[in-house]
Amino acid sequence: MKTEQQGGDVQHAHGRRIGALALGAIGVVFGDIGTSPLYAMKETLGTHGMSPHPAAVLGVLSLIFWSLIMVVSLKYVTFVMRADNKGEGGIMALMALAQRSVSGSPRARWVLAAIGIFGASLFYGDGVITPAISVLSAVEGLEIAAPQLDTYVVPICLVIIFVLFAVQRHGTNIVGKAFAPVMVLWFLVLAGLGIRQLVAHPQVLVALNPWYAITFFIEHGKLAFIALGGVVLALTGAEALYADMGHFGKRPIRLAWFGFVLPALLINYFGQGALLLHDQTAIENPFYKMVPEDWLYPMVALATMSAIIASQAVISGAFSMTREAMSLGYSPRMAVVHTSHEMSGQIFVPWVNRLLLVLVLLAVIGFRSSNNLGAAYGIAVTGTMTMTTLLALVVARFRWHWHWSAVITVGVIFLIVDVAFFGANALKIAHGGWFPLVLGVIIFTVMTTWRRGRDLVVREIKQSGLALEPFIANIADHPPLIVPGTAVFLTANQNAVPHAMLHNLKHNKVLHERNVLLTVEMLETPVADFEERMEVFDYGNGFYGLQLRYGFAEDPNIPVSLSRASALGLDFDMMDTTFFLSRETIVADARRPGMALWRDKLFAFLARNAMPATAFFQIPGNRLIELGAQVEI
């Protein structure tokens, strides 16, 4: 009896924990997709020559409903979220998982890297557009409440965005504690506004029938295809469901989506449709036209708070993705500030924050309205969605061992939808879609250039290095002056003598009594398993090799790791240990094979401005000696 009661208590506690995580997910994960009702219907039916007559309203509603079911519910929540990388989600984690699935094929790994990096690059473009369009569409409610205030919309947005980015250095906890209650209230209000219209005009529910979406395409042809570019705005934020999986887990996100968020969104969209069936002039801003006049100002305030939360989720995602890109070798090292002692995932990347702030402000000033930004939005979202589908299919075939017929069937269904959305948004490139696309191409170029440049540097160092084994034998036969203490040499190759060791021996004519060749390896998993974190090699004559491994979601801390090496028989006294490191000066040489000269120069510029490896690995400056080395690529 007592055992049954204890089991019930454990189950009850587990249920409470799942509920708490689901509540937290509502506050963080669903901010972006939750603010889509502010602009999706207006952008789809109010532009591109589309008029909100009953057949068009029902057709667009049917498209939105089945898109939310197909893309978000089936693809992301059911299929893609299965592809977790030791619990972590997001396109960089998925890329690493897909690469591990085809580890025996270098060409396939290169193709998957290109797909993943391009998807991640477009995500940064999304990170610029989301804060701009979310805040603009929320503040534009003032134009409905008081038309004379329309000239103040852009300045108010600029102030809100500046404050949002300014508080990032203090961490998401500053606004995070209020996230869940605000978003729960937001979704309840969405549902309440929708129900009010549905009670008056319930006939709009016929749009649940997919036939209305089909007839919409038959009757409107090209206009219907263009309208897909607006429908996709209802799906923005779907990538966040997967990216934030590591913070909340699959079950809480699925519970929150199917049990609360999806019903609230659908009720609101159908409520906007019911209003448009009754009053076509409401297309000016169907969301705010549903709001009673006395509640307009509080609604603008609530919508603005929700838009800030939506923006926060994307900004935090950009910080996390940057750290993953650095660890996986696709981004120059930058300073990463931890803003929470409890949550390692809560980080702040100052350089990314400043860049995003400037780009978001430029987007607001340049586009000036959510209608104009709507044209720029979809291309980044649909591009990332397509890349995610391709990577998830690779995981399904080579990691889950799905039969080819199942992979092809699922792939055809999802890719038809993704490519249709991408094609519809490609038509808007000239009207603003170029903006995130250009941002994505620039970031893709930087990331691929950095990775290729680092590979060339490592290859050059390995080719010019002396073999370690005969060097140790020669030292044993002709020993130099030996000084007490431990010297740690950071190196990428355990089989070659580090340049810093050669320079130290050449200029100072000494060796330490114990010399450790330290190699740091970043794994394609978010967290390294305990048994693979550290490996020690005894080369004899006072020479040792030490291999440290970290996951891409971890922060490498070499001093902390060395303090744990005693378990493997290698003790370190930090006061008696000196770190030696070669600082490479990159020289671009057009005569050498590798990259185009302009990419060589770009890599050299990035290398000069990157955070030093010593700071990235948290090596104390007072225990460090850096020796220069020139590397031509």
Side-chain angles (χ1 to χ4, degrees):
M1 188 75 178
K2 188 175 180 180
T3 304
E4 290 180 8
Q5 184 179 356
Q6 289 174 339
D9 290 342
V10 171
Q11 192 171 3
H12 184 62
H14 179 69
R16 283 202 309 269
R17 182 173 176 274
I18 293 294
L21 287 170
L23 183 65
I26 291 170
V28 175
V29 177
F30 298 104
D32 193 359
I33 201 167
T35 52
S36 295
L38 285 166
Y39 46 80
M41 287 288 285
K42 180 179 71 169
E43 172 66 20
T44 306
L45 285 166
T47 57
H48 311 300
M50 186 73 66
S51 60
H53 56 82
V57 170
L58 294 175
V60 167
L61 273 179
S62 188
L63 280 172
I64 288 176
F65 172 76
W66 286 104
S67 296
L68 286 170
I69 297 300
M70 286 289 297
V71 176
V72 184
S73 300
L74 290 181
K75 189 179 95 172
Y76 274 98
V77 178
T78 305
F79 172 59
V80 174
M81 281 179 64
R82 282 191 62 197
D84 67 295
N85 194 336
K86 289 190 176 179
E88 289 291 323
I91 194 162
M92 293 297 286
L94 181 59
M95 178 194 75
L97 184 65
Q99 286 184 308
R100 287 213 317 276
S101 303
V102 294
S103 55
S105 174
R107 185 178 294 273
R109 286 174 58 85
W110 182 88
V111 171
L112 293 173
I115 292 172
I117 296 167
F118 189 64
S121 302
L122 290 176
F123 179 85
Y124 285 105
D126 185 21
V128 172
I129 303 295
T130 292
I133 194 172
S134 298
V135 176
L136 264 173
S137 57
V139 178
E140 280 171 355
L142 290 173
E143 297 175 350
I144 306 298
Q148 68 272 18
L149 296 177
D150 63 337
T151 56
Y152 294 96
V153 168
V154 170
I156 291 172
C157 288
L158 295 177
V159 171
I160 291 171
I161 288 167
F162 184 84
V163 172
L164 171 65
F165 280 92
V167 302
Q168 291 301 313
R169 68 179 66 253
H170 303 294
T172 54
N173 275 339
I174 297 295
V175 280
K177 292 176 182 176
F179 277 12
V182 170
M183 290 311 298
V184 168
L185 177 61
W186 171 254
F187 285 115
L188 289 173
V189 170
L190 286 185
L193 292 174
I195 289 171
R196 186 166 172 263
Q197 297 297 326
L198 285 173
V199 169
H201 310 285
Q203 66 271 23
V204 75
L205 292 174
V206 299
L208 293 170
N209 187 340
W211 180 248
Y212 284 90
I214 297 170
T215 55
F216 177 65
F217 272 98
I218 294 172
E219 293 175 4
H220 291 83
K222 183 180 177 181
L223 272 180
F225 185 68
I226 294 173
L228 278 179
V231 171
V232 78
L233 298 179
L235 310 177
T236 58
E239 191 72 26
L241 275 68
Y242 180 50
D244 288 323
M245 184 172 62
H247 295 288
F248 299 98
K250 302 176 190 178
R251 191 177 171 193
I253 291 176
R254 286 169 175 161
L255 180 65
W257 172 250
F258 288 113
F260 186 66
V261 176
L262 178 60
L265 288 174
L266 291 176
I267 290 170
N268 189 267
Y269 282 124
F270 276 83
Q272 291 187 44
L275 174 64
L276 290 171
L277 288 181
H278 171 67
D279 178 14
Q280 293 186 17
T281 62
I283 193 59
E284 178 190 357
N285 199 319
F287 178 84
Y288 280 111
K289 290 290 186 180
M290 289 197 300
V291 181
E293 192 171 337
D294 293 341
W295 289 91
L296 271 173
Y297 286 111
M299 193 67 221
V300 171
L302 178 60
T304 303
M305 291 173 68
S306 302
I308 290 171
I309 292 170
S311 305
Q312 178 64 54
V314 175
I315 295 166
S316 300
F319 293 159
S320 298
M321 187 173 292
T322 301
R323 180 172 72 168
E324 292 177 3
M326 283 190 284
S327 297
L328 291 169
Y330 292 102
S331 169
R333 294 179 295 271
M334 307 175 201
V336 176
V337 180
H338 286 266
T339 58
S340 171
H341 296 293
E342 292 82 23
M343 292 290 294
S344 63
Q346 292 187 6
I347 58 174
F348 169 65
V349 185
W351 195 90
V352 173
N353 191 66
R354 289 192 293 269
L355 181 62
L356 283 178
L357 170 61
V358 171
L359 292 174
V360 172
L361 292 177
L362 288 176
V364 171
I365 294 169
F367 288 92
R368 303 194 68 79
S369 76
S370 60
N371 278 346
N372 295 335
L373 270 169
Y377 203 8
I379 195 79
V381 175
T382 52
T384 303
M385 285 180 174
T386 306
M387 301 301 114
T388 298
T389 300
L390 292 171
L391 292 173
L393 290 172
V394 171
V395 172
R397 174 68 186 109
F398 296 103
R399 195 159 192 86
W400 303 339
H401 306 294
W402 280 18
H403 193 273
W404 274 112
S405 59
V407 174
I408 292 171
T409 302
V410 172
V412 166
I413 293 171
F414 288 146
L415 286 173
I416 285 175
V417 176
D418 289 341
V419 172
F421 279 128
F422 186 81
N425 282 279
L427 298 175
K428 302 189 294 185
I429 288 177
H431 304 286
W434 58 269
F435 182 63
L437 208 55
V438 168
L439 285 178
V441 169
I442 292 172
I443 294 169
F444 178 83
T445 302
V446 168
M447 293 175 79
T448 53
T449 298
W450 178 259
R451 179 57 183 254
R452 177 62 176 153
R454 288 305 307 167
D455 289 344
L456 290 174
V457 168
V458 171
R459 186 183 71 182
E460 186 66 25
I461 290 173
K462 286 182 177 180
Q463 287 179 347
S464 60
L466 292 175
L468 180 64
E469 192 174 335
F471 173 81
I472 294 175
N474 188 52
I475 290 293
D477 293 336
H478 310 283
L481 177 65
I482 304 297
V483 297
T486 299
V488 177
F489 297 89
L490 270 70
T491 179
N493 184 8
Q494 285 284 339
N495 297 315
V497 183
H499 282 198
M501 181 183 287
L502 289 175
H503 283 296
N504 184 47
L505 189 60
K506 177 181 178 182
H507 297 291
N508 297 324
K509 308 292 192 292
V510 298
L511 274 181
H512 286 70
E513 61 182 349
R514 192 171 63 163
N515 299 279
V516 179
L517 279 63
L518 174 60
T519 302
V520 178
E521 180 183 358
M522 304 305 294
L523 303 178
E524 293 175 345
T525 55
V527 180
D529 293 332
F530 178 78
E531 60 274 9
E532 65 180 345
R533 284 188 174 276
M534 191 180 301
E535 196 172 355
V536 173
F537 313 96
D538 187 350
Y539 298 130
N541 293 312
F543 285 83
Y544 298 87
L546 177 59
Q547 181 104 20
L548 299 180
R549 299 183 181 91
Y550 300 94
F552 62 74
E554 297 180 281
D555 294 312
N557 190 319
I558 286 179
V560 170
S561 296
L562 294 186
S563 67
R564 298 167 180 162
S566 57
L568 297 178
L570 201 59
D571 292 309
F572 286 91
D573 177 4
M574 280 298 128
M575 298 307 295
D576 198 33
T577 299
T578 305
F579 293 88
F580 289 83
L581 177 69
S582 294
R583 179 182 280 261
E584 299 98 1
T585 300
I586 309 301
V587 178
D589 187 348
R591 296 168 299 176
R592 301 180 75 88
M595 296 190 293
L597 182 61
W598 68 269
R599 291 185 73 193
D600 286 341
K601 291 182 177 180
L602 172 61
F603 175 71
F605 171 79
L606 294 172
R608 283 196 304 272
N609 291 277
M611 182 183 186
T614 51
F616 184 72
F617 293 129
Q618 304 182 56
I619 297 173
N622 60 349
R623 310 302 310 164
L624 173 68
I625 295 176
E626 287 188 301
L627 299 168
Q630 185 169 294
V631 179
E632 294 182 352
I633 60 170

